[in-house]
Amino acid sequence: MVFRKLFAKDLKVIEMKNRFTTFFDEFYYFADYLSEKGGKVKKSTGKAASYRNYLAFFFVLFEENTNLKITDPASLATYQLLDNFRQSKGFTEYNKDEHHYPSASLKCYLAFVSDKAVKNEIFYDVKMNEESEQQFINETPAEYVVKTDYSSDDIRKKSKKILLNGRLVYQRSLAEVIKAKEQAGWRCEINPKHETFIAESNDKPYVEAHHLIPMAVQDLFDNTIDFAGNISCLCPTCHRKIHLAKSPGKYELVKQLYSTRKNKYEDYNLQIDFKQLLNYYRIY
Ligand SMILES: [Zn+2]
Ligand SMILES: [Zn+2]
């Protein structure tokens, strides 16, 4: 049986927790923070501890039934592997028998790994926008924002990863950025009246590109998310706001941008629901 019942006192579970002590501690605090945020509980209940246990169980079951070993539990790639494993026969029954703790802990795990992944997204976005401007001025080929115009077949494939500021990140396409800005008429999508200035690089109103599904979570998708339909065109203030505002401020913008491109995601065969998208903005 793939999904056998496990207990916190099982040796394998204890060993798994010891292997990734820091990870499980961080996950526990995150789960605790989320359940308090959810407003259902004022004081910390046993929920976070249960989530931590069920995640450890899941790691054990995964390693028992696949030939794979978990090495980097906090990564999106590991989440993907576990999410695939969850499709194995018997999960539904197991989940039911365990009062849906397995699925709830996996959901929390996805929020946790996404939260980690998107933490530096603004740095890479600012860099992308700077490099986009620079390319007009210097004509220097950049490694991060690439000029290659993908053919329509290629666009569904993911771009190459490069090391930038100590992190492996996907290259971004300048052509797609420009396409998105042209589609928005070089105006802020939130409100075309938002004031900006004329850029030296191209004599057009300065606007910034922002991937609504952040590039930081590209690993969760089989196809590229670096296409004009996913790139929003924002004035610098709205761009900072969507990354840095308090949750209600961010929420407004994410909601507006999502509602105008929901269908485009369907065209690209991208499964993204609004709740999941909010996680990528750390709105809980
Ligand atoms: Zn951005
Ligand atoms: Zn704006």
Side-chain angles (χ1 to χ4, degrees), residues 188-191 194 234-239:
C188 178
E189 275 186 52
I190 297 301
N191 183 341
H194 284 174
L234 301 174
C235 73
T237 305
C238 286
H239 193 195

PDB file of all heavy atoms in Angstrom, residues 188-191 194 234-239, ligand 2:
ATOM      1  N   CYS A 188      -0.247  52.769 -18.069  1.00  0.00           N
ATOM      2  CA  CYS A 188      -0.450  51.887 -16.916  1.00  0.00           C
ATOM      3  C   CYS A 188      -1.784  51.156 -17.080  1.00  0.00           C
ATOM      4  O   CYS A 188      -2.818  51.768 -17.326  1.00  0.00           O
ATOM      5  CB  CYS A 188      -0.457  52.709 -15.626  1.00  0.00           C
ATOM      6  SG  CYS A 188      -0.750  51.699 -14.162  1.00  0.00           S
ATOM      7  N   GLU A 189      -1.736  49.850 -16.926  1.00  0.00           N
ATOM      8  CA  GLU A 189      -2.960  49.057 -17.096  1.00  0.00           C
ATOM      9  C   GLU A 189      -3.976  49.299 -15.979  1.00  0.00           C
ATOM     10  O   GLU A 189      -5.158  49.041 -16.154  1.00  0.00           O
ATOM     11  CB  GLU A 189      -2.621  47.547 -17.091  1.00  0.00           C
ATOM     12  CG  GLU A 189      -2.215  47.012 -18.428  1.00  0.00           C
ATOM     13  CD  GLU A 189      -2.038  45.502 -18.373  1.00  0.00           C
ATOM     14  OE1 GLU A 189      -2.953  44.796 -17.904  1.00  0.00           O
ATOM     15  OE2 GLU A 189      -0.960  45.036 -18.778  1.00  0.00           O
ATOM     16  N   ILE A 190      -3.501  49.733 -14.851  1.00  0.00           N
ATOM     17  CA  ILE A 190      -4.425  49.973 -13.736  1.00  0.00           C
ATOM     18  C   ILE A 190      -5.285  51.188 -14.045  1.00  0.00           C
ATOM     19  O   ILE A 190      -6.490  51.182 -13.856  1.00  0.00           O
ATOM     20  CB  ILE A 190      -3.639  50.167 -12.409  1.00  0.00           C
ATOM     21  CG1 ILE A 190      -2.870  48.886 -12.060  1.00  0.00           C
ATOM     22  CG2 ILE A 190      -4.555  50.597 -11.271  1.00  0.00           C
ATOM     23  CD1 ILE A 190      -3.732  47.635 -11.880  1.00  0.00           C
ATOM     24  N   ASN A 191      -4.629  52.217 -14.545  1.00  0.00           N
ATOM     25  CA  ASN A 191      -5.343  53.421 -14.962  1.00  0.00           C
ATOM     26  C   ASN A 191      -4.465  54.157 -15.971  1.00  0.00           C
ATOM     27  O   ASN A 191      -3.393  54.643 -15.617  1.00  0.00           O
ATOM     28  CB  ASN A 191      -5.630  54.295 -13.731  1.00  0.00           C
ATOM     29  CG  ASN A 191      -6.438  55.540 -14.098  1.00  0.00           C
ATOM     30  OD1 ASN A 191      -6.490  55.955 -15.259  1.00  0.00           O
ATOM     31  ND2 ASN A 191      -7.068  56.130 -13.102  1.00  0.00           N
ATOM     32  N   HIS A 194      -2.514  57.363 -15.184  1.00  0.00           N
ATOM     33  CA  HIS A 194      -1.383  57.486 -14.252  1.00  0.00           C
ATOM     34  C   HIS A 194      -0.191  58.146 -14.930  1.00  0.00           C
ATOM     35  O   HIS A 194       0.221  57.756 -16.021  1.00  0.00           O
ATOM     36  CB  HIS A 194      -0.983  56.110 -13.694  1.00  0.00           C
ATOM     37  CG  HIS A 194      -1.933  55.613 -12.654  1.00  0.00           C
ATOM     38  ND1 HIS A 194      -1.855  54.364 -12.105  1.00  0.00           N
ATOM     39  CD2 HIS A 194      -2.997  56.230 -12.048  1.00  0.00           C
ATOM     40  CE1 HIS A 194      -2.836  54.219 -11.213  1.00  0.00           C
ATOM     41  NE2 HIS A 194      -3.532  55.330 -11.167  1.00  0.00           N
ATOM     42  N   LEU A 234       2.842  48.485 -16.147  1.00  0.00           N
ATOM     43  CA  LEU A 234       2.463  49.320 -15.003  1.00  0.00           C
ATOM     44  C   LEU A 234       3.296  50.587 -14.916  1.00  0.00           C
ATOM     45  O   LEU A 234       4.466  50.606 -15.327  1.00  0.00           O
ATOM     46  CB  LEU A 234       2.638  48.528 -13.703  1.00  0.00           C
ATOM     47  CG  LEU A 234       1.850  47.228 -13.546  1.00  0.00           C
ATOM     48  CD1 LEU A 234       2.269  46.503 -12.267  1.00  0.00           C
ATOM     49  CD2 LEU A 234       0.354  47.504 -13.526  1.00  0.00           C
ATOM     50  N   CYS A 235       2.702  51.649 -14.350  1.00  0.00           N
ATOM     51  CA  CYS A 235       3.493  52.835 -14.056  1.00  0.00           C
ATOM     52  C   CYS A 235       4.393  52.469 -12.860  1.00  0.00           C
ATOM     53  O   CYS A 235       4.087  51.519 -12.132  1.00  0.00           O
ATOM     54  CB  CYS A 235       2.599  54.031 -13.740  1.00  0.00           C
ATOM     55  SG  CYS A 235       1.785  53.957 -12.128  1.00  0.00           S
ATOM     56  N   PRO A 236       5.496  53.192 -12.684  1.00  0.00           N
ATOM     57  CA  PRO A 236       6.420  52.803 -11.602  1.00  0.00           C
ATOM     58  C   PRO A 236       5.753  52.735 -10.224  1.00  0.00           C
ATOM     59  O   PRO A 236       6.090  51.863  -9.430  1.00  0.00           O
ATOM     60  CB  PRO A 236       7.486  53.896 -11.647  1.00  0.00           C
ATOM     61  CG  PRO A 236       7.455  54.414 -13.045  1.00  0.00           C
ATOM     62  CD  PRO A 236       6.028  54.296 -13.495  1.00  0.00           C
ATOM     63  N   THR A 237       4.799  53.602  -9.969  1.00  0.00           N
ATOM     64  CA  THR A 237       4.156  53.584  -8.645  1.00  0.00           C
ATOM     65  C   THR A 237       3.330  52.313  -8.461  1.00  0.00           C
ATOM     66  O   THR A 237       3.433  51.629  -7.431  1.00  0.00           O
ATOM     67  CB  THR A 237       3.242  54.815  -8.455  1.00  0.00           C
ATOM     68  OG1 THR A 237       4.025  55.979  -8.696  1.00  0.00           O
ATOM     69  CG2 THR A 237       2.665  54.874  -7.055  1.00  0.00           C
ATOM     70  N   CYS A 238       2.526  51.992  -9.476  1.00  0.00           N
ATOM     71  CA  CYS A 238       1.718  50.766  -9.366  1.00  0.00           C
ATOM     72  C   CYS A 238       2.616  49.540  -9.292  1.00  0.00           C
ATOM     73  O   CYS A 238       2.284  48.570  -8.609  1.00  0.00           O
ATOM     74  CB  CYS A 238       0.754  50.647 -10.541  1.00  0.00           C
ATOM     75  SG  CYS A 238      -0.636  51.791 -10.416  1.00  0.00           S
ATOM     76  N   HIS A 239       3.754  49.581  -9.987  1.00  0.00           N
ATOM     77  CA  HIS A 239       4.642  48.425  -9.938  1.00  0.00           C
ATOM     78  C   HIS A 239       5.186  48.213  -8.522  1.00  0.00           C
ATOM     79  O   HIS A 239       5.198  47.111  -8.000  1.00  0.00           O
ATOM     80  CB  HIS A 239       5.785  48.568 -10.957  1.00  0.00           C
ATOM     81  CG  HIS A 239       6.534  47.283 -11.155  1.00  0.00           C
ATOM     82  ND1 HIS A 239       7.749  47.209 -11.770  1.00  0.00           N
ATOM     83  CD2 HIS A 239       6.233  46.010 -10.786  1.00  0.00           C
ATOM     84  CE1 HIS A 239       8.151  45.946 -11.786  1.00  0.00           C
ATOM     85  NE2 HIS A 239       7.251  45.203 -11.188  1.00  0.00           N
TER      86      HIS A 239
HETATM   87 ZN    ZN B   2      -0.325  52.960 -12.350  1.00  0.00          ZN
END
